[in-house]
Amino acid sequence: SINSPSTTVFTLPPNFLSSAIFLSIAALDEFSTYSFLIFGNGSEALSSESSNVNILGYVDNLNEVMNIGDVYFSPLSIGSGVQNKILEAFQHGLYVIGTPTSFSGIAWLDNLNDKGFISVNINKLSEIKYILKEYFDDQSRFQESLLENQNFIQTRASWGESVKIMEDFVDGSSTR
């Protein structure tokens, strides 16, 4: 069910509805053995009666939440710029399912192993169900690509590496 949304970015009406669609998938019997954590400022406006769904709302420490996950799902319909939680998910070695909006602004996405993430149409429930089922049925075949993406983020797209690139550019010593 849906409570009255607050006025956070998370609960812009299209993003709120996309999240509600995802909750309907998580509540299906075929996913009842998996746990789903919904988090982010404003997510407390969502509700679910499914025992496998836990809505956390705002979390102080993303590491704690992402360290216990396997999949990160970003159901954004509206947004701009780099979605930092997507980068965090890659850094934690999570399989990332997102919408085209979720991945917008990530210039080096072509450098990542495409078996570690997938872009979906939030309105195609059967596609999202299939992708989740495929992942959960055989997570081992995704592990190498998840590790590659995690390594890429940590070595080439970290804050430290980004600052170094900017410093090199400012100093005129950039070779990239």
Side-chain angles (χ1 to χ4, degrees):
S1 71
I2 300 175
N3 298 324
S4 177
S6 62
T7 56
T8 65
V9 172
F10 183 93
T11 55
L12 286 170
N15 292 343
F16 187 76
L17 292 174
S18 296
S19 299
I21 290 169
F22 180 72
L23 280 173
S24 70
I25 293 170
L28 295 172
D29 286 343
E30 63 195 283
F31 298 115
S32 64
T33 59
Y34 302 103
S35 296
F36 293 87
L37 300 177
I38 312 296
F39 63 93
N41 191 21
S43 63
E44 55 278 347
L46 296 166
S47 66
S48 175
E49 295 186 16
S50 299
S51 61
N52 64 327
V53 175
N54 187 1
I55 299 170
L56 303 176
Y58 176 82
V59 295
D60 288 323
N61 188 340
L62 281 179
N63 288 329
E64 288 178 8
V65 176
M66 291 201 181
N67 282 336
I68 60 173
D70 292 311
V71 175
Y72 180 79
F73 184 71
S74 175
L76 292 180
S77 296
I78 292 178
S80 63
V82 175
Q83 303 303 316
N84 289 325
K85 287 180 185 170
I86 294 284
L87 300 179
E88 292 277 345
F90 282 131
Q91 185 173 337
H92 283 84
L94 301 178
Y95 182 64
V96 179
I97 301 171
T99 61
T101 301
S102 301
F103 293 113
S104 68
I106 303 177
W108 37 258
L109 201 58
D110 290 340
N111 295 325
L112 294 172
N113 186 317
D114 63 358
K115 287 190 173 137
F117 69 93
I118 191 161
S119 181
V120 296
N121 179 337
I122 190 65
N123 296 314
K124 294 189 176 181
L125 297 181
S126 60
E127 178 183 3
I128 298 168
K129 281 174 40 180
Y130 174 80
I131 290 164
L132 279 172
K133 188 131 183 62
E134 180 181 46
Y135 179 81
F136 286 135
D137 284 349
D138 188 8
Q139 292 181 26
S140 63
R141 71 186 184 102
F142 293 90
Q143 290 310 305
E144 185 176 331
S145 56
L146 297 178
L147 289 173
E148 284 178 28
N149 291 346
Q150 183 179 30
N151 183 56
F152 180 85
I153 295 295
Q154 291 174 348
T155 60
R156 301 280 312 282
S158 67
W159 283 110
E161 182 64 18
S162 297
V163 168
K164 183 174 179 353
I165 291 169
M166 287 185 272
E167 287 172 343
D168 289 350
F169 180 77
V170 170
D171 293 342
S173 59
S174 177
T175 58
R176 298 169 198 232

